[in-house]
Amino acid sequence: MQQQYPFKEIEQNAQAFWEQNQTFAASEKSEKPKYYCLSMFPYPSGRLHMGHVRNYTIGDVLSRFHHMKGFNVMQPMGWDAFGLPAENAAIKNNTAPAKWTYENIEHMKTQLKQLGLAVDWNREIATCKPEYYKWEQWLFTELFKKGLIYKKTSTVNWDPVDGTVLANEQVIDGRGWRSGALVEKRDIPQYFMKITAYAEELLNDLDKLDGWPEQVKTMQRNWIGKSFGCEVEFPIVGQSGSLKVYTTRPDTLMGATYVAVAAEHALATQAAQNNAALTDFIAECKRGSVAEADVATAEKKGMATGLLVTHPLNGEQLPVWVANYVLASYGEGAVMAVPAHDERDFEFANKYGLKIKPAIIPENWKEAKIEPDLISARSSEYKDKTKEINHKISPVLTNKDTNQTISWDFWSEKLAQHGLCYNSGKYNGLDFESASNEIASDLSTKNLGKKRTQYRLRDWGISRQRYWGCPIPIVHCANCGEVPVPADQLPVILPENVVMDGVGSPIKKDPNFYETTCPTCGGKATRETDTLDTFFESSWYFARYASFDADKMCDERANYWLPVDQYVGGIEHAILHLLYARFFNKLMRDVGLIKNDEPFTNLLTQGMVLKDGSKMSKSKGNTVDPQALIDNYGADTARLFTMFAAPPEQSLEWADSGVQGAHRFLRRLWQAVYDHVQLGEIAAYQANDPQTLSAELKVLRLQLHSTIEKVADDYGRRHSFNTAISSVMEMMNALAKVEGTDETTRQVRQEVLQNVALLLSPIVPHICQALWAALQPNSSILDAGWPAVDEAAMVQNSVEYMIQVNGKLRGSMTVSKSETNETLEKMVLNDPCVQKFIVENSTVRKIILVPNKLINVVVG
RNA sequence: GCCCGGGUGGCGGAAUUGGUAGACGCACGGGACUCAAAAUCCCGCGCUGGCAACAGCGUGCCGGUUCGAUUCCGGCCCCGGGCACCA
């Protein structure tokens, strides 16, 4: 008889049970090894999206699996509650950001609870609450006193119409998203954290993170970007002083034909003083967003300053250009340009008719005769994504002796490893390393340069000119300067009952907020009205969960739980959030709060949930609301489907089809258990039971215990939840084919069903709890633990060999495991599927035997 | 532009250390049950040829290494993520 699968009732009962029994409340008082499982906390945007479901299900599976394996598990949850969307929603809905945020938290908390997460809700935090941000304000003041936070000017996107600073996201095609005005770059004073002081440690400690994906470590290494190069000074012609550049390719110095500076560079400003055209050009460069992607993809433009500098080695006079492709924030904000050996320089030189001078040739060309001016441009056609034909210009060098040409593609990639100096005077014939050393040493002698290690990493600007964020705890006093707010006067509370009018931050206009007295002299003073970057809050929350109610930033409990054993979150956080969190961990260590060097031992970076080929996001309007899924099919179906659809690290292209399949499987499972228990209670077959099993039941038990082993490996080591599920599905398909109702069959069936409930319970905990209760009326699945593998059930004495001829599959044979290689080779040669390929004039050249797998007969 | 990933049937994906390509599921087709539909159950399902046995082709494209390549190497194409103020 067909049974209903009453998922609503099952899920409500299970969730109520967990809540009443405080099943997932974590305690530091435990004999078991601790396991801190953390999923990146959500921004309370309003409703759960599929990315959340995926993220929190992965974390929950790992938490529940470790719980079953006997760990003392802590899985907390909270809210990354400050941020830009609250301000936009507040303006749109005529409400206060705080009210909007708190309502969203309430709603999303209900939704998360419906997912049945094994979360300790007692530890819930919201970063917008004073009891949370008080402690980061305290840390700010400590770091300020230590000089790790300082003030300097930096560039922001300025909307001249709205008169506000814009986030990069708010600049669309160089214009403000509300006003449509052309955005300008503007320099304003801001607070910075000296993350560069930790660059070396942040780089080196990546080597300790064996539990992190290689991909993420590579991205962080490249982001920190340690390079070994040289600073080179070009004396300015006709005035004192010199122009300093940084280069990672000192070996190409003899090929430098001009020098380029960023529009923001002091020399550009100086040259523009009596040059209207240059002033205009610099102004033009300062239009558009500050985002590096925009700067780097902009059309290369430049203008000569009229200034000349002297090449430090050959004495040539080189022109100084202002170029929009030079980044003001990297190195010296100025570069030596070697058009022959740098693609961007080449493009620029071509456009403005500047000299191109090769200084490196391929190693195997060193005897060739090449004139310096033999470099020429070759235009090639290539297909753009829009399918229109485009032209690409690449430099080509011709070897007169052989008429051989070489294109830029070779030069750019391989030059440093396989090139030798050419046309470079005394450095001719030297390779990258010796040329760099010689040149650095000669520059040093002339006092015009030296070797230098450079990081790409910049200090972290943390000031935001926005309202909905943590107030920066600084008081500005005319007498005492910048005064950090003393600990006993913290927190500086952000007023929550405000009106957002869309023009500027309410606290910047609120004397009740900014008027204060100086903590040092007691005189009239004003508060800082900028707030902190929201990455500040998310950089230390992992420590707060561990000591969520401590009367300090974190207490000894943090040292019990930290480091986080498993961190789970989106790959889009691979650099910024994860780097800042690692940085904060080290800061907190250095102020004596915690002991560990790194916050996250193991990291699982979940792929994005995509819809129609791009990231699901509110701004793109392609989100799928999981609520309908939960309402119509239940949380277990939503969890099962999400875990089954793709491996966690891959991006998941969302499609609704398949949800039915997941639900159908749960219904079949429910039915199978119902049919079984209908026949009365029975004890599971035990490993040491004396009955002789039929061949069919032996095979079933073999599959069961192989499945237990595989699923444990898939959960614990591989994080391959989709294959774990598919192997349990195979198990259930096999069970369905076994029909007997005799006692032994029923014992084995009980064994299979009990174990299936255990294996699936991390993924679909509600139904498994109910199934267990049906199978074992007086016990709870929560006490059962992870099942043991019966090794004896997995012993096999025959094995199937695949038979190949010349690497192509031609057949197979099942043989006893004890056969010798000689016998196997004889058998395979006599097999008809091999025989027919051994025709006249052909001989068996060799036989390759892969034990227990495959035999390949090579015939020729 | 720079850095990091990915590309396998109609679709999501599997193949864990170079050794059976397409597990499992979806969709689809056929059948059973039903007055009928839904649900459920059974069978089929990479492409081409063939009644079939079987044969050939096939993991984005081009080339290489190997007895054997989705897997390793070289070159390309396309798609996604990040680029410091979205979180």
Side-chain angles (χ1 to χ4, degrees):
Chain A
M1 185 190 148
Q2 266 184 56
Q3 282 302 300
Q4 292 283 318
Y5 157 42
F7 62 86
K8 277 202 172 117
E9 190 189 322
I10 292 170
E11 293 180 2
Q12 277 164 12
N13 288 345
Q15 285 164 19
F17 179 86
W18 299 332
E19 184 142 355
Q20 276 159 25
N21 291 280
Q22 287 285 296
T23 309
F24 306 114
S27 158
E28 296 76 28
K29 296 176 195 76
S30 169
E31 297 297 301
K32 300 173 183 173
K34 65 97 184 173
Y35 183 80
Y36 181 1
C37 184
L38 180 65
S39 291
M40 290 180 186
F41 61 171
Y43 177 78
S45 56
R47 301 177 70 80
L48 238 48
H49 57 69
M50 287 311 307
H52 293 131
V53 174
R54 193 179 195 196
N55 197 160
Y56 302 130
T57 305
I58 293 167
D60 203 43
V61 172
L62 292 170
S63 290
R64 287 175 180 271
F65 174 66
H66 282 85
H67 188 96
M68 292 176 81
K69 293 281 268 185
F71 286 85
N72 180 33
V73 177
M74 194 250 289
Q75 183 179 220
M77 186 57 72
W79 309 96
D80 188 15
F82 277 135
L84 195 55
E87 294 193 11
N88 297 330
I91 297 165
K92 192 176 160 195
N93 305 327
N94 196 23
T95 176
K99 185 167 180 284
W100 181 85
T101 302
Y102 289 127
E103 283 169 5
N104 288 347
I105 287 174
E106 273 320 295
H107 181 72
M108 289 174 74
K109 187 174 173 181
T110 310
Q111 289 190 302
L112 282 178
K113 287 195 165 180
Q114 285 178 17
L115 273 180
L117 305 176
V119 157
D120 180 359
W121 284 103
N122 302 321
R123 295 171 184 263
E124 180 182 1
I125 54 176
T127 58
C128 61
K129 292 192 171 167
E131 65 255 34
Y132 181 84
Y133 64 68
K134 171 179 179 177
W135 303 111
E136 67 188 42
Q137 290 179 337
W138 169 81
L139 184 69
F140 181 104
T141 60
E142 291 299 306
L143 297 174
F144 184 84
K145 289 181 235 167
K146 290 174 90 174
L148 284 165
I149 291 177
Y150 64 96
K151 203 171 204 178
K152 69 170 181 186
T153 64
S154 81
T155 319
V156 295
N157 302 308
W158 180 256
D159 184 324
V161 170
D162 277 358
T164 84
V165 174
L166 298 177
N168 284 334
E169 191 192 49
Q170 297 172 309
V171 181
I172 296 155
D173 295 330
R175 291 172 183 275
W177 67 341
R178 283 175 187 287
S179 69
L182 281 172
V183 167
E184 297 165 7
K185 297 184 180 79
R186 181 176 276 204
D187 289 333
I188 59 172
Q190 310 205 66
Y191 288 99
F192 278 80
M193 289 190 93
K194 221 181 245 179
I195 191 171
T196 51
Y198 284 74
E200 194 63 28
E201 196 190 348
L202 287 166
L203 180 66
N204 292 337
D205 283 0
L206 286 170
D207 295 336
K208 296 182 190 167
L209 298 175
D210 296 327
W212 280 40
E214 214 45 58
Q215 167 197 6
V216 175
K217 288 188 279 186
T218 305
M219 282 193 261
Q220 293 216 351
R221 276 188 199 105
N222 291 340
W223 185 262
I224 294 167
K226 185 177 187 177
S227 65
F228 302 94
C230 205
E231 49 186 56
V232 184
E233 292 188 39
F234 293 76
I236 301 167
V237 175
Q239 50 177 282
S240 62
S242 62
L243 175 60
K244 195 195 271 183
V245 306
Y246 173 78
T247 179
T248 56
R249 293 297 304 277
D251 61 318
T252 64
L253 179 53
M254 299 303 273
T257 56
Y258 67 100
V259 179
V261 301
E264 293 84 354
H265 197 276
L267 211 55
T269 315
Q270 183 208 317
Q273 271 171 6
N274 299 308
N275 184 336
L278 191 58
T279 305
D280 288 349
F281 178 70
I282 289 170
E284 189 192 329
C285 288
K286 286 185 177 175
R287 274 204 287 276
S289 101
V290 298
E292 190 180 321
D294 292 334
V295 175
T297 51
E299 191 198 341
K300 281 170 198 51
K301 284 182 186 167
M303 189 174 275
T305 58
L307 294 169
L308 294 172
V309 291
T310 308
H311 191 290
L313 295 181
N314 63 19
E316 280 177 26
Q317 297 204 340
L318 308 181
V320 179
W321 282 65
V322 176
N324 66 347
Y325 72 92
V326 179
L327 296 175
S329 50
Y330 180 73
E332 298 292 332
V335 297
M336 65 179 213
V338 186
H341 303 305
D342 181 279
E343 199 166 9
R344 286 169 309 175
D345 295 346
F346 179 81
E347 200 185 312
F348 192 85
N350 248 358
K351 181 168 179 174
Y352 292 106
L354 292 156
K355 252 199 250 172
I356 300 167
K357 187 174 156 193
I360 307 282
I361 51 166
E363 195 178 8
N364 56 349
W365 282 25
K366 67 180 166 189
E367 305 303 330
K369 292 215 168 61
I370 307 157
E371 295 300 321
D373 57 355
L374 275 180
I375 194 155
S376 62
R378 178 171 69 185
S379 167
S380 60
E381 288 187 345
Y382 72 100
K383 275 193 176 170
D384 183 62
K385 19 183 145 157
T386 56
K387 304 291 177 218
E388 287 167 40
I389 300 288
N390 286 283
H391 294 273
K392 187 176 187 173
I393 296 169
S394 24
V396 177
L397 192 65
T398 309
N399 181 339
K400 270 262 162 124
D401 296 345
T402 60
N403 229 15
Q404 206 184 346
T405 58
I406 189 150
S407 80
W408 215 93
D409 295 338
F410 177 89
W411 288 62
S412 57
E413 300 293 327
K414 311 282 163 89
L415 199 69
Q417 293 106 25
H418 302 293
L420 299 176
C421 285
Y422 165 78
N423 192 30
S424 298
K426 62 182 278 205
Y427 310 107
N428 280 349
L430 296 181
D431 65 10
F432 169 75
E433 201 176 335
S434 30
S436 300
N437 287 336
E438 286 283 306
I439 289 173
S441 142
D442 288 351
L443 287 171
S444 194
T445 308
K446 294 187 171 190
N447 215 11
L448 288 175
K450 57 176 192 240
K451 281 195 170 179
R452 178 169 118 189
T453 304
Q454 172 76 25
Y455 296 90
R456 204 187 74 100
L457 183 69
R458 309 199 291 258
D459 276 343
W460 171 17
I462 50 173
S463 292
R464 295 292 178 272
Q465 296 68 47
R466 277 185 269 282
Y467 156 74
W468 188 234
C470 171
I472 291 177
I474 289 283
V475 169
H476 300 283
C477 171
N479 298 320
C480 312
E482 293 170 84
V483 183
V485 177
D488 61 5
Q489 292 172 35
L490 292 175
V492 177
I493 292 181
L494 182 75
E496 293 189 349
N497 192 12
V498 297
V499 177
M500 295 294 294
D501 55 11
V503 187
S505 159
I507 54 172
K508 291 188 185 291
K509 296 172 270 188
D510 179 5
N512 289 325
F513 178 78
Y514 64 73
E515 283 182 358
T516 187
T517 52
C518 173
T520 306
C521 70
K524 268 199 166 182
T526 55
R527 285 193 190 286
E528 173 64 49
T529 55
D530 279 358
T531 54
L532 289 170
D533 179 4
T534 56
F535 274 123
F536 212 91
E537 284 86 56
S538 57
S539 295
W540 69 281
Y541 74 115
F542 54 88
R544 187 64 186 173
Y545 280 136
S547 46
F548 61 103
D549 55 2
D551 195 28
K552 53 196 278 201
M553 195 167 190
C554 58
D555 60 22
E556 265 312 300
R557 289 173 293 177
N559 281 323
Y560 171 80
W561 290 111
L562 292 176
V564 172
D565 295 279
Q566 181 68 61
Y567 197 29
V568 183
I571 184 66
E572 67 271 27
H573 296 291
I575 294 173
L576 292 181
H577 162 63
L578 287 168
L579 189 65
Y580 293 150
R582 293 181 58 222
F583 172 45
F584 255 67
N585 187 92
K586 292 175 194 302
L587 291 172
M588 290 168 76
R589 177 198 62 193
D590 292 347
V591 298
L593 284 166
I594 54 178
K595 295 196 175 86
N596 55 298
D597 292 327
E598 284 287 334
F600 314 121
T601 306
N602 294 291
L603 173 68
L604 192 160
T605 46
Q606 127 204 3
M608 228 122 356
V609 179
L610 310 176
K611 180 78 189 290
D612 307 322
S614 65
K615 178 181 172 179
M616 270 191 192
S617 68
K618 262 196 162 169
S619 56
K620 283 178 188 145
N622 60 349
T623 52
V624 167
D625 189 347
Q627 190 63 48
L629 211 58
I630 295 169
D631 293 343
N632 297 334
Y633 298 97
D636 280 340
T637 296
R639 295 169 59 119
L640 180 65
F641 176 64
T642 318
M643 292 301 94
F644 185 55
E649 307 217 303
Q650 257 178 52
S651 58
L652 191 163
E653 174 71 34
W654 183 260
D656 294 312
S657 62
V659 175
Q660 291 263 8
H663 192 68
R664 195 177 297 150
F665 171 74
L666 293 180
R667 220 158 44 201
R668 264 205 306 270
L669 177 62
W670 184 258
Q671 180 77 37
V673 170
Y674 179 85
D675 290 344
H676 171 70
V677 300
Q678 276 297 92
L679 301 174
E681 268 186 60
I682 191 155
Y685 184 87
Q686 298 286 312
N688 54 1
D689 272 0
Q691 294 100 314
T692 318
L693 294 179
S694 63
E696 186 187 36
L697 292 179
K698 270 190 184 159
V699 169
L700 194 68
R701 290 198 76 236
L702 166 68
Q703 185 175 354
L704 172 64
H705 289 277
S706 316
T707 306
I708 294 173
E709 194 173 59
K710 178 181 169 49
V711 170
D713 188 46
D714 278 354
Y715 285 165
R717 179 181 64 90
R718 298 214 301 152
H719 299 151
S720 174
F721 310 118
N722 53 331
T723 55
I725 293 165
S726 86
S727 67
V728 176
M729 284 175 169
E730 287 180 81
M731 181 73 248
M732 286 305 294
N733 290 345
L735 181 67
K737 292 199 166 72
V738 173
E739 289 184 325
T741 54
D742 58 283
E743 188 174 336
T744 314
T745 306
R746 293 197 58 233
Q747 285 178 325
V748 174
R749 190 177 287 123
Q750 174 82 13
E751 186 193 7
V752 171
L753 290 172
Q754 267 180 218
N755 279 298
V756 164
L758 291 172
L759 296 184
L760 286 181
S761 65
I763 292 176
V764 284
H766 311 89
I767 190 174
C768 289
Q769 180 157 315
L771 292 175
W772 187 269
L775 290 162
Q776 294 245 42
N778 294 313
S779 76
S780 164
I781 195 169
L782 295 163
D783 304 322
W786 188 254
V789 171
D790 177 6
E791 297 290 345
M794 300 210 291
V795 175
Q796 277 176 288
N797 38 34
S798 68
V799 62
E800 191 183 23
Y801 273 88
M802 292 301 129
I803 302 174
Q804 292 187 338
V805 178
N806 291 340
K808 286 199 177 185
L809 186 72
R810 296 300 175 182
S812 66
M813 61 182 188
T814 303
V815 297
S816 158
K817 261 196 164 170
S818 57
E819 297 292 359
T820 61
N821 288 1
E822 288 73 28
T823 318
L824 289 170
E825 291 187 5
K826 232 175 254 171
M827 286 169 76
V828 81
L829 288 174
N830 289 325
D831 198 291
C833 74
V834 173
Q835 282 280 311
K836 69 182 186 189
F837 288 96
I838 306 177
V839 289
E840 259 182 84
N841 300 326
S842 64
T843 53
V844 174
R845 296 195 187 275
K846 61 173 149 174
I847 298 174
I848 285 149
L849 195 148
V850 184
N852 298 325
K853 268 188 183 156
L854 170 143
I855 303 174
N856 185 16
V857 181
V858 184
V859 180

